[in-house]
Amino acid sequence: MPQKKESKIKAPSAKSAAKAKVRTKAKAQVKEKAKKKAKEKVKKAKAPVSRAKAGAPVRKPAKKLASAKAAVKKGTVRKVAKPRSAKPVAVVPASPPPRIGRQEYQRRRLRLMAMMEPGTIALIPAAKIAKRTRVTDYPFRQDSDFYYLTGFEEPGGVLVLTPDREHGEVILFCEERDPLKEQWDGEILGPERAIEALGLDDAFPVADMHDILPGLLEGRERIYITLGEYAAFDAQLMSWVQRMRTRESGGAIPPGEFVALKHLLHEMRLYKSASEIRLMERAAQISASAHARAMRACGPGLNESQLEAELVYEFMRHGAKSPAYPSIVGGGANACVMHYAANNAPLKRGDLLLIDAGAEYQHYASDITRTFPVAGKFNASQQALYEVVLNAQAEAIATARLGNHFDMPHQAALRALVQGLVDLKLLKGSVDEAIDSGAYRTFCPSKTSHWLGIDVHDAGDYRVGGAWREFEAGMVITVEPGIYVPADLPDVAAKWRGMGVRIEDEVLITRDSPRVLTEAAPKSVKDIHAMMRRKL
């Protein structure tokens, strides 16, 4: 290795050394001053800026923040984390509402019996377990009418209501306790405990029904029954009645007639109690949270099934047992299939995604539909069509009030939809011409509303005496206008083809203005864009 050459630089004089010392001190002071100034700029950039308008969003001062960032880049101050702006997210309250109590089920049974004539009997069978394969079953879900009157979730029973019966008006046939069966399938309530737990007059093993129930039927003038719901039970009932008829010569008195129970019971189910509304609010909160989650998870390249999984996860983590109905997750032209169920297509940039999904919470259904852009932002055509549907929904909800009838939300939505289709040149002629001719049905094939409750299409007549039923407090409806442009429709511009938009909310009829139970699910263009920016 070669040696370095020796330096021949002369030592500085005392005078020049003093000058160098002054210069070094001055440079240090300047650097310290610059460092303090940069820190102050960062501090000011992070501080909220007061706004003249109360409640206005806080903005970062762009110039000051840029200057502060430059200071960070130069290394004169340590890097500070950027403040995140908060966006609204649907929140499910931590404490669940109370379950419906025994007393409410008792009141329901008493109301139903008060509407039945003396000398009659009502039979309400429970659902049975259904086979999925030879060795597995479908998840059990109780019959809605039976559950409405009992709150009892075990399969295979029969509720019997006998007004004015001396030895008890409310009788349940249910499964007996069996330690071996309970070891495999879980606890069974049993007849002995059912009397106290459910507030009954009497209870018997379902195996004894063949010996006891025919005697309760004999001599009744009328049997209220859910004919057509459970074929095996209907056949058993007819066989009991037929045997009575063969013994008429010996004094047996078979029942006089069969009457559909739904005319009485479904009228009751149409009006929701305060307890029912609380459960429906909870189901709506869970479902709104799930829709918000799907928006945050969505992106090009994902599969429809992945977003369905996000929905189910959010349902179940908040206490919902299952979806209230098969979820619809349709991207692109799949959104134009009204009951699309495959949910297995890839999501593409530039497409819209329609999700129709709701949770079932303690047997009460939610039903929400939202449509949003896969990539997080509507293009001009998508936004134009979306806002037509959004306006139509607002017009429909405004009519959901006392004094109006069930078809009025549909008529309001239809007129707004057709007006929008005419304005966008998707329909020709006037609004009245398009409605009178039925030309709108190419794009708007469905009605706008249905009842909601224990069933997603809940019980209750839509017409009374041939006229549309008027709204009353306690009724709950959906409002779900939509426009669906078939992908193969030749007479419209290509930008519209294969675009489906539906917006659906749950609306409670009150004594005042309509109350939207599902308002927490993002719906405006602005709110959807904001929610989709908050990626999971």
Side-chain angles (χ1 to χ4, degrees), residues 22 35 45 62 69 89 95 98 113 128 141 158 171 187 207 213 256 262 295 320 322 338 381 470 480 491 530:
V22 170
K35 189 175 179 180
K69 284 180 178 177
V89 178
S95 56
M113 287 190 289
K128 290 184 175 294
R141 204 276 188 182
V158 177
I171 303 165
E187 186 178 10
L213 190 51
K262 68 178 184 179
M295 289 179 188
S322 67
M338 304 302 295
S381 300
E470 289 193 1
E480 49 179 313
D491 299 331

Side-chain angles (χ1 to χ4, degrees), residues 437-465:
S437 67
Y440 69 89
R441 291 193 179 95
T442 300
F443 305 101
C444 308
S446 67
K447 298 287 279 187
T448 301
S449 299
H450 58 76
W451 304 126
L452 186 69
I454 291 182
D455 291 323
V456 68
H457 282 236
D458 205 29
D461 293 329
Y462 293 104
R463 292 177 181 268
V464 177

